[in-house]
């Protein structure tokens, strides 16, 4: 089963040496022997786009959700009010500091979950909820929305508005697989909570690193970026602070080992 | 491995007279993309198409061989081709996209494929990635400045530009001018000075002029996809090849230039790290292979 999912995702590009084959068998063994990981889905202040992206993995979702993991908590997914113990908590949405219930919920999730995953840009970077300034019905006092890492310790961060179905599937497989190398950048991204399209200017162009490749503008999910004279140009009115442009830039971090593994080169 | 992982190295050129006439070197990029389009290996390609200003290219989604042909020739300034990949998939609805990329663009594409954070269903549609060798790239104003001021000719009159034999060349209808590459140093974009990839190490197939005689290209086939399309094009008679051992200056020069670039730029990386400036690569002291691209 895992092999099928990995094949679908192109993760098993080429078993280039014996080591790879062994690890694949190991993975299947682990998947069979280990109890299924318990996963919960926690919905804070987000638009439900992230869970929709998750469910867009329909090709592999049924076996993934029924055979490989146990969903133990989640609105509309599980009929349950109290938060149980779980291995992985996928948290969508930012935390509203004026909403006592959200603060309580995220703290309880932290206590009950092995891994807390900031799932989607609202949870990871604050994303468009960063622009909130209150004054809206039905809760006019709700004005401060922060990424969950501002309030609790987070283990993995998967930004994206929403994250692509592929990165979700790859991450879930990597977690099941204990593939820490793949997950490392997502652990590193936990600290990246003040994202903005202007990061390209500050951290790449100003630092003499930009090479005008256009990856950032391709990745921007809101078309906030143009390429002008070979450099990204931000239309800040369109930017939702998802952080994806900077994260996809080949000059922010560079996962050569993984790329070599994926391409077989 | 200074040239990255590759299956085969060959000297090659397109057998098509029209491609030979307007392409930069052996016309490998144009020949392979058109062939892949004809054979439905790809259903469109992102190329550095002609912009409003002849030497200032713009990424273009080419849907026909004619459009691919119209983009032939090297423009020594930015064409953010990666930008147009999403357009090719979304607006043009392509399922199998071909593209041409300089090494840094190849790196952007491969990173996006391995970690497609916010990039939905584009990664799996890249069917053919042709990489071209690259020592450096110039901002458009740099290019204009040294061509008009140092070479004394209006860029508008220039019909072809080339780098070779240690010089930067421009060709007009009736003149052939050159300056030593030394004189263009300092005009290149700064980001190139930390670049460790000369030969597009992560492409499906890489090509460039260095190593082969004028009018020919040096080709490195890398992935199964790259090898397969190249072999098919050779079998179809669209590309002719010679073993690298039989051509001058040969692999030695390619290896030398790739090593020079990596050594020089690794030093810049080390200096940056010593100053506390960010750079996504490792210091030489942390690397097992000083010539590796990380
Ligand atoms: C900035 C730059 C620096 C280079 N430096 C070297 C070098 O040091 N040594 C070496 O051997 N070769 C170098 N090359 C590669 C070489 O100039 C040719 O592009 C290569 O040999 C392909 O020739 P061809 O006849 O097969 O391609 P053609 O059939 O002429 O097609 C060229 C293709 O390149 C694309 N292209 C043109 N300009 C750009 C651009 N700026 N960015 C992205 N794509 C572009 C076009 O869309 C076209 O599809 C460089 C190329 C560039 C763009
Ligand atoms: S992705 Fe990074 S290097 Fe490429 S154009 Fe954008 S900022 Fe520049
Ligand atoms: S520019 Fe685009 S990708 Fe970058 S943070 Fe803003 S919305 Fe996100
Ligand atoms: S030298 Fe490197 S960074 Fe500069 S344009 Fe060429 S491939 Fe890109």
């Amino acid at each position: 089963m895992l092999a099928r999912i990995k094949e679908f995702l192109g993760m098993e590009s080429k078993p280039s040496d014996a080591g790879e084959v062994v690890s694949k068998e190991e993975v299947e063994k682990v998947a069979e022997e280990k109890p299924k990981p318990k996963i919960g889905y926690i919905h804070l202040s987000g638009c439900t786009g992230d869970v929709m992206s998750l469910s867009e993995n329909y090709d592999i979702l049924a076996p993934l959700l029924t055979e490989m993991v146990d969903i133990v908590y989640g609105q509309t997914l599980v009929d349950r009010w109290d938060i149980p113990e779980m291995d992985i908590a996928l948290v969508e949405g930012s935390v509203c500091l004026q909403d006592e219930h959200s603060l309580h919920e995220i703290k309880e999730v932290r206590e009950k979950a092995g891994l807390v995953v900031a799932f989607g840009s609202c949870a990871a970077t604050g994303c468009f909820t960063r622009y909130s300034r209150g004054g809206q019905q039905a809760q006019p006092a709700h004005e401060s929305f922060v990424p969950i890492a501002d309030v609790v310790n987070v283990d993995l961060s998967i930004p994206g508005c929403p994250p692509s179905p592929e990165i979700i599937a790859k991450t879930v497989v990597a977690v099941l697989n204990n593939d820490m190398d793949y997950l490392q950048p997502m652990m590193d991204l936990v600290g990246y909570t003040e994202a903005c399209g202007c990061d390209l200017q500050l951290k790449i162009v100003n630092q003499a690193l930009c090479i005008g490749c256009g990856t950032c503008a391709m990745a921007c999910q809101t078309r906030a970026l143009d390429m002008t004279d070979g450099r990204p140009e931000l239309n800040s009115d369109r930017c939702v602070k998802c952080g994806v442009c900077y994260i996809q830039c080949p000059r922010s971090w560079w996962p050569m080992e993984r790329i070599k593994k994926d391409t077989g080169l | 491995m200074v040239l990255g992982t590759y299956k085969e190295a060959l000297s090659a050129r397109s057998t098509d007279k029209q491609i030979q006439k307007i392409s930069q070197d052996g016309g490998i990029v144009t020949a392979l993309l058109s062939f892949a389009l004809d054979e439905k290996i790809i259903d469109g390609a992102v190329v550095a198409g002609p912009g409003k200003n002849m030497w200032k290219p713009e990424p273009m989604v080419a849907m026909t061989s004619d459009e691919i042909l119209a983009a032939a020739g090297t423009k020594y300034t930015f064409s953010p081709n990666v930008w147009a990949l999403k357009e090719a998939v979304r607006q043009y609805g392509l399922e199998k996209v071909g593209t041409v990329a300089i090494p840094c663009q190849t790196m952007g594409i491969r990173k996006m494929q391995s970690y497609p954070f916010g990039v939905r269903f584009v990664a799996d549609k890249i069917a053919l990635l042709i990489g071209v060798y690259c020592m450096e790239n110039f901002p458009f104003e740099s290019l204009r400045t040294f061509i008009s001021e140092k070479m004394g000719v209006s860029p508008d009159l220039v019909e072809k530009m080339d780098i070779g034999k240690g010089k930067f060349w421009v060709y007009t209808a009736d003149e052939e001018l050159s300056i030593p590459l030394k004189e263009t140093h300092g005009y290149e974009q700064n980001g190139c000075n930390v670049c460790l990839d000369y030969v597009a190490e992560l492409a499906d197939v890489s090509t460039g002029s260095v190593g082969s005689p004028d009018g020919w290209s040096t080709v490195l086939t890398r992935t199964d996809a790259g090898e397969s399309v190249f072999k098919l094009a050779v079998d179809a008679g669209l590309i002719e090849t010679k073993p690298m051992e039989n051509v001058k200056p040969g692999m030695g020069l390619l290896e030398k230039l790739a090593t020079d670039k990596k050594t020089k730029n690794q030093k810049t990386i080390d200096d940056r790290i010593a100053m506390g400036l960010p750079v996504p690569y490792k210091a030489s002291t942390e690397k097992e292979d000083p010539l590796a691209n990380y």
Side-chain angles (χ1 to χ4, degrees):
Chain A
M1 179 51 57
L2 198 57
R4 199 176 78 77
I5 290 172
K6 290 189 79 175
E7 195 181 49
F8 167 80
L9 295 168
M11 290 182 75
E12 209 76 290
S13 46
K14 249 161 269 147
S16 49
D17 54 38
E20 188 93 15
V21 177
V22 170
S23 82
K24 188 175 141 195
E25 281 163 3
E26 259 169 23
V27 164
E28 276 167 350
K29 209 169 84 209
V30 169
E32 271 167 31
E33 285 175 0
K34 255 209 209 154
K36 289 192 266 183
K38 295 192 184 67
I39 296 192
Y41 197 91
I42 289 83
H43 200 147
L44 300 175
S45 300
C47 70
T48 318
D50 304 320
V51 76
M52 284 175 66
S53 197
L54 171 77
S55 61
E56 231 185 296
N57 280 305
Y58 36 77
D59 284 13
I60 60 160
L61 199 69
L64 188 75
L65 295 189
T66 52
E67 289 167 37
M68 300 177 66
V69 303
D70 267 335
I71 302 280
V72 294
Y73 184 76
Q75 273 177 355
T76 73
L77 299 173
V78 185
D79 186 17
R80 170 157 201 173
W81 286 90
D82 60 311
I83 299 177
E85 301 277 333
M86 59 184 98
D87 299 304
I88 301 168
L90 298 176
V91 185
E92 166 174 348
S94 55
V95 187
C96 175
L97 296 181
Q98 287 83 31
D99 178 13
E100 222 176 294
H101 175 73
S102 295
L103 279 167
H104 181 77
E105 195 173 358
I106 190 70
K107 279 193 207 142
E108 192 175 347
V109 164
R110 177 65 280 181
E111 279 163 27
K112 300 227 168 120
L115 283 180
V116 172
V117 182
F119 180 57
S121 284
C122 285
T125 68
C127 202
F128 71 92
T129 67
R130 286 289 200 190
Y131 289 104
S132 175
R133 44 208 287 284
Q136 280 195 321
Q137 298 298 352
Q139 297 282 3
H142 285 195
E143 65 171 358
S144 327
F145 293 78
V146 295
I148 62 168
D150 278 11
V151 185
V152 294
N153 283 329
V154 174
D155 300 294
L156 288 181
S157 178
I158 311 176
C161 184
S164 71
E166 303 104 296
I167 195 84
I168 298 170
K170 283 183 171 221
T171 309
V172 173
V173 172
V175 168
L176 291 172
N177 209 348
N178 238 327
D179 183 351
M180 297 321 274
D181 289 341
Y182 187 73
L183 299 174
Q184 189 61 52
M186 299 180 210
M187 296 185 228
D188 298 340
L189 283 171
V190 167
Y192 182 49
T193 53
E194 291 183 21
C196 177
C198 51
D199 291 343
L200 300 172
Q201 181 65 37
L202 300 179
K203 299 178 182 170
I204 307 292
V205 179
N206 285 169
Q207 298 295 332
L209 291 171
C210 180
I211 27 72
C213 63
T215 309
C216 51
M218 182 273 299
C220 176
Q221 292 170 285
T222 65
R223 295 175 183 242
L225 294 169
D226 264 323
M227 294 298 297
T228 305
D229 288 325
R231 294 292 176 260
E233 186 173 83
L234 175 69
N235 175 348
S236 51
D237 288 345
R238 296 192 79 121
C239 174
V240 294
K241 298 184 183 284
C242 68
V244 162
C245 51
Y246 174 72
I247 288 164
Q248 301 284 177
C249 169
R251 289 292 172 91
S252 56
W253 50 281
W254 177 235
M256 182 67 171
E257 290 295 317
R258 170 58 53 168
I259 290 168
K260 272 181 163 272
K261 205 169 159 196
D262 287 352
T263 54
L265 288 171
Chain B
M1 254 188 306
V2 69
L3 301 180
T5 309
Y6 63 91
K7 293 174 191 278
E8 211 177 356
L10 288 156
S11 192
R13 73 167 174 185
S14 162
T15 52
D16 183 316
K17 291 276 174 289
Q18 203 191 354
I19 296 181
Q20 280 179 12
K21 203 165 140 230
I22 63 170
S23 67
Q24 188 72 17
D25 298 305
I28 298 301
V29 177
T30 301
L32 277 184
L33 287 177
S34 322
F35 172 74
L37 192 64
D38 289 345
E39 294 298 309
K40 304 200 164 41
I41 296 166
I42 57 174
D43 38 33
V46 173
V47 292
K52 272 177 244 110
N53 185 318
M54 185 178 156
W55 292 109
K56 203 172 176 188
E58 275 172 33
M60 173 176 96
V61 183
M63 300 294 289
T64 63
S65 300
D66 281 347
E67 285 173 318
I68 291 171
L69 201 60
T74 304
K75 297 92 179 174
Y76 289 98
T77 189
F78 320 128
S79 175
N81 287 358
V82 188
W83 187 21
L85 290 177
K86 186 146 81 182
E87 192 182 339
V89 172
R90 298 272 185 278
Q91 266 92 312
Y92 290 72
L94 304 190
E95 289 289 327
K96 294 172 288 178
V97 185
T99 192
V100 48
I102 47 181
C104 55
Q105 297 176 333
T106 313
M107 291 162 75
I109 295 170
R110 291 303 190 207
K111 178 174 166 182
M112 177 270 284
Q113 289 183 307
S114 283
Y115 286 95
F117 276 101
V119 189
R120 304 159 56 83
F121 301 127
V122 174
D124 56 332
K125 309 234 164 35
I126 313 292
L128 180 61
L129 175 48
I130 304 179
V132 293
Y133 310 163
C134 177
M135 190 60 85
E136 75 261 290
N137 204 354
F138 302 101
F140 183 69
E141 290 305 324
S142 284
L143 198 63
R144 207 163 57 179
T145 303
F146 68 71
I147 291 174
S148 59
E149 305 306 319
K150 292 199 172 193
M151 307 180 89
V153 56
S154 159
D156 297 338
L157 298 176
V158 172
E159 290 178 353
K160 181 172 178 169
M161 297 181 194
D162 203 4
I163 294 180
K165 304 175 185 81
K167 291 181 174 168
F168 189 95
W169 303 82
V170 298
Y171 303 87
T172 65
D174 42 31
E175 256 185 316
E176 182 182 308
L177 300 159
S178 70
I179 45 170
L181 270 184
K182 267 206 300 291
E183 294 203 32
T184 68
H185 287 332
Y187 284 91
E188 75 277 10
Q189 68 175 337
N190 224 277
C192 293
N193 297 336
V194 296
C195 174
L196 294 169
D197 190 350
Y198 181 53
V199 289
E201 294 175 28
L202 299 169
D204 288 320
V205 44
S206 307
T207 184
S209 64
V210 166
S212 291
D214 288 350
W216 288 73
S217 295
T218 305
V219 176
L220 302 169
T221 58
R222 298 187 186 277
T223 62
D224 293 343
E227 182 185 45
S228 137
V229 70
F230 185 74
K231 285 215 158 117
L232 288 171
V234 173
D235 291 345
L238 296 177
I239 289 177
E240 55 179 317
T241 66
K242 289 181 193 172
M244 279 311 286
E245 303 85 75
N246 296 0
V247 300
K248 287 222 154 58
M251 290 298 274
L253 184 63
L254 190 61
E255 281 165 4
K256 181 188 178 300
L257 291 186
T259 310
D260 288 353
K261 175 174 180 177
K262 283 171 184 265
T263 316
K264 181 168 122 275
N265 292 352
Q266 184 65 53
K267 198 180 164 306
T268 311
I269 292 168
D270 289 350
D271 289 348
R272 281 183 68 104
I273 291 172
M275 277 195 277
L277 289 170
V279 60
Y281 309 115
K282 288 204 164 98
S284 54
T285 47
E286 287 178 85
K287 287 169 78 163
E288 262 175 54
D289 174 4
L291 300 177
N293 178 20
Y294 58 80

